[in-house]
Amino acid sequence: MTKSVSAQGFTLNKDQAELINRKLSKLDYADSLIIDLILHVKEDKKFYFDATVNFRWGGNGHVTSDDYDFAAGINKLIDILDQKVKKEKEKIQSHN
């Protein structure tokens, strides 16, 4: 899985980047299912998180979250993303 993280309106500091990497490691179980994950973080009074996941079978998923606290926002996003990946994985396994 290729991971791409970009920030808009601010610069990610080291702690924020480490937090993102630590949280994204929660999706390591789906490494063989995902081609790439693109995460955009925007700051405009609060943090907006926008992630797109491209799966090996051609499907993709798009999730968003926002929060005034960076850590809370990334936690919400990863939880939603985790649900999305599990749902896609089950859907593909049921077709086989």
Side-chain angles (χ1 to χ4, degrees):
M1 164 176 28
T2 306
K3 299 172 188 170
S4 170
V5 179
S6 65
Q8 182 181 348
F10 74 110
T11 303
L12 280 176
N13 66 35
K14 186 179 176 188
D15 290 341
Q16 290 169 326
E18 287 175 1
L19 178 65
I20 289 172
N21 286 331
R22 200 166 53 246
K23 295 297 179 179
L24 287 178
S25 70
K26 185 177 180 179
L27 300 174
D28 283 349
Y29 71 90
D31 201 39
S32 63
L33 307 174
I34 299 172
I35 296 173
D36 60 1
L37 184 147
I38 303 157
L39 173 63
H40 297 287
V41 184
K42 180 182 174 186
E43 184 181 27
D44 183 23
K45 296 183 184 167
K46 62 181 177 177
F47 293 98
Y48 297 91
F49 299 88
D50 182 50
T52 302
V53 180
N54 294 306
F55 295 100
R56 297 219 179 271
W57 51 89
N60 62 24
H62 184 257
V63 297
T64 61
S65 76
D66 59 74
D67 203 290
Y68 288 99
D69 179 57
F70 186 88
I74 194 70
N75 283 335
K76 275 196 266 186
L77 182 84
I78 295 299
D79 288 344
I80 297 167
L81 198 54
D82 188 38
Q83 294 288 327
K84 183 88 168 166
V85 169
K86 285 177 181 171
K87 194 173 181 180
E88 284 289 325
K89 184 178 175 183
E90 288 171 9
K91 195 165 42 170
I92 285 301
Q93 287 175 340
S94 71
H95 285 298
N96 293 338

